[in-house]
Amino acid sequence: MTTLSPQRTIAELKELRANTANEHGAQRIAFTPIWVETREWLKRKLAELPVETHVDAAGNLWSTLRGASDKAVLIGGHMDSVPNGGWLDGCLNVLAGLEVLRRIDAGYDHRPPVTVRLVDWADEEGARFGKSLFGSSACSGNLDLAEARGLVDRDGVTLPAALKNVGIDIERVKDSHVELKDAAAYCELHIEQGPVLLDLDLPLGVVLGTFGVERHAITFHGQAAHSGSTPMNRRKDAFLAAAKLSPEIYRIAETHGGVGTIGSCTTKPGIVTSVVEDCRITLDQRHLDAPALARCYADAKAASERFAKDGGVTVEWNRLWSIEPVLFDPKLIQFCDEAIVETCGRSHRLPSGPLHDAAEVARAGVPTIMMFVQSLHGISHNKIEDTKEEHLDLCVRAFDRLVEKTLRSVAAAIA
Ligand SMILES: [Zn+2]
């Protein structure tokens, strides 16, 4: 009989690091030879279990432990990494899921009441083609196929060509949706990648959902004028209006919650001897609550128009990208809270700033939950990414409890 062994997960994470990282960090970039080798390594581990394993039309790897019912609890993660990535992002989810699968297989004598499936999503990071959540968005149906066809990496290789190289036909990737047919719930463990749990001195947290995003380019148009001959009261300074927006974005986040970032600023003519004629900034606003996000956006827009008017310049907004907040399932949030409290005494609920595969699964209508484990330094996508081993141990235990509660709930709903 196999009991849950979080230490085995930690040992496997180290084995993976030894196999797929160099002195700069993890190198498991999707669709590359190291990623293919990583998959083979994972498949060898899965082959020790009575599971059926296959790759779907989008390149996602599914491993199925058949239960008494076809209704399935899904456990997911991603083995791919960014170049020079950390040792936990994505692969912790899969390897903890593997350990939970082993425990369920043994604990239920190879026949759990419902089916349990482990999925390794393809190209979560989007490191090579600049588009994240490839496999999960193909599966959910949200992938923009026209855009995907046109993606090219730094060496001029197109995404369709890179996919063909690993046996995937871009025109068929959305056929992957069939995998969600009997999905009753989706559970994902992930490192937090931020400092919230660290600052609270808590090992684990329940993720409420992923932030909605409003991303815009804002351009102020003024007038170029000689920096020596133009009196201050005669200027139409595009930079001044843009600059006033910066403290305003902080005030808006303070008022409505969420986060706001002016991430870039370019000026024209951009020379030391001229008043700025055009100033283009980008604004990224995120919130878990859709109406609050709408207020953040509306307030920023109104403020920009006010500052433009005050300075005798005009302002123009262009939406670069936006996505609605994705909320996780209330019952699964409850289970996750309980699992964490039972494992380490205290839980905390927090939103996720980054998007995850879980958001795509939730958008496809599958009840979804994520659990976060504390990140040291609050940092990720870097070789210094780390989590205390005692916290890794705890997260595997708590995640196992979460999956067990979910499995029992799905089984009870069928009975
Ligand atoms: Zn990740």
Side-chain angles (χ1 to χ4, degrees):
M1 158 118 185
T2 308
T3 49
L4 190 78
S5 170
Q7 288 304 316
R8 174 163 47 193
T9 304
I10 294 170
E12 287 176 335
L13 284 164
K14 288 179 179 171
E15 188 187 336
L16 183 67
R17 179 169 61 184
N19 292 346
T20 62
N22 60 22
E23 70 272 30
H24 305 296
Q27 307 297 340
R28 296 183 303 276
I29 298 100
F31 313 129
T32 62
I34 295 183
W35 177 79
V36 172
E37 276 168 39
T38 301
R39 277 266 174 100
E40 293 306 317
W41 174 84
L42 177 64
K43 281 192 214 161
R44 284 196 292 278
K45 305 226 172 239
L46 288 163
E48 291 164 20
L49 288 167
V51 293
E52 177 275 322
T53 301
H54 71 270
V55 174
D56 75 9
N60 305 308
L61 182 88
W62 295 85
S63 201
T64 304
L65 176 65
R66 285 261 160 249
S69 164
D70 285 343
K71 283 279 169 230
V73 173
L74 314 183
I75 304 171
H78 60 94
M79 296 302 277
D80 75 302
S81 75
V82 295
N84 307 327
W87 72 299
L88 299 169
D89 183 358
C91 55
L92 167 66
N93 335 2
V94 178
L95 294 176
L98 170 64
E99 189 56 30
V100 172
L101 207 57
R102 286 173 181 139
R103 195 276 301 160
I104 292 172
D105 174 58
Y108 285 100
D109 202 14
H110 317 304
R111 189 76 172 168
V114 302
T115 297
V116 184
R117 309 184 72 199
L118 180 69
V119 52
D120 166 25
W121 299 109
D123 199 9
E124 190 274 349
E125 299 287 3
R128 186 166 159 201
F129 294 95
K131 191 79 195 166
S132 11
L133 312 180
F134 170 78
S136 55
S137 66
C139 186
S140 73
N142 291 316
L143 178 77
D144 182 341
L145 207 51
E147 182 191 41
R149 283 188 197 102
L151 295 174
V152 182
D153 76 2
R154 256 191 304 195
D155 301 322
V157 179
T158 66
L159 176 62
L163 290 175
K164 196 169 170 220
N165 198 32
V166 291
I168 303 163
D169 174 3
I170 182 113
E171 299 307 323
R172 285 195 47 236
V173 294
K174 287 194 176 184
D175 293 356
S176 151
H177 191 64
V178 68
E179 302 289 344
L180 297 181
K181 189 166 70 81
D182 291 312
Y186 176 82
C187 303
E188 183 172 324
L189 170 70
H190 208 285
I191 52 167
E192 185 201 330
Q193 305 177 282
V196 175
L197 294 171
L198 181 70
D199 288 349
L200 291 167
D201 197 21
L202 290 174
L204 302 169
V206 182
V207 186
L208 294 167
T210 56
F211 276 159
V213 183
E214 283 283 358
R215 197 173 288 169
H216 297 261
I218 309 164
T219 309
F220 293 89
H221 300 287
Q223 192 171 52
H226 194 286
S227 63
S229 64
T230 318
M232 300 309 278
N233 64 353
R234 291 290 300 273
R235 297 178 180 212
K236 293 177 179 168
D237 188 339
F239 178 75
L240 177 64
K244 283 180 179 171
L245 203 55
S246 180
E248 192 66 15
I249 296 307
Y250 280 82
R251 196 196 58 74
I252 289 168
E254 209 173 295
T255 306
H256 301 301
V259 291
T261 306
I262 295 178
S264 71
C265 175
T266 47
T267 59
K268 276 186 201 160
I271 54 172
V272 72
T273 52
S274 175
V275 172
V276 171
E277 180 171 12
D278 290 330
C279 183
R280 180 188 188 270
I281 58 175
T282 56
L283 176 62
D284 176 294
Q285 292 177 298
R286 303 183 187 218
H287 207 296
L288 191 61
D289 180 65
L293 179 60
R295 283 194 290 276
C296 291
Y297 164 57
D299 280 11
K301 196 157 186 200
S304 74
E305 281 156 7
R306 199 165 67 241
F307 299 139
K309 191 157 173 270
D310 290 352
V313 303
T314 60
V315 63
E316 187 188 319
W317 282 62
N318 285 300
R319 176 173 272 122
L320 298 174
W321 187 67
S322 65
I323 188 169
E324 289 275 298
V326 176
L327 300 177
F328 292 153
D329 184 74
K331 190 159 79 177
L332 296 180
I333 288 174
Q334 186 63 40
F335 289 165
C336 192
D337 241 340
E338 290 168 12
I340 292 174
V341 171
E342 287 164 17
T343 307
C344 60
R346 265 174 74 208
S347 180
H348 177 72
R349 296 180 175 200
L350 71 166
S352 171
L355 284 165
H356 289 285
D357 293 310
E360 285 299 332
V361 183
R363 289 174 84 199
V366 180
T368 293
I369 185 65
M370 285 187 83
M371 179 185 286
F372 274 167
V373 59
Q374 187 193 104
S375 293
L376 288 172
H377 331 293
I379 213 158
S380 175
H381 286 190
N382 185 309
K383 70 171 180 180
I384 69 162
E385 165 192 294
D386 206 3
T387 292
K388 283 184 198 151
E389 284 197 16
E390 58 183 280
H391 290 173
L392 291 175
D393 188 292
L394 285 174
C395 79
V396 179
R397 291 178 199 283
F399 190 63
D400 181 54
R401 282 178 184 270
L402 167 62
V403 174
E404 181 62 25
K405 285 172 194 288
T406 306
L407 183 153
R408 285 185 191 176
S409 163
V410 172
I414 301 165

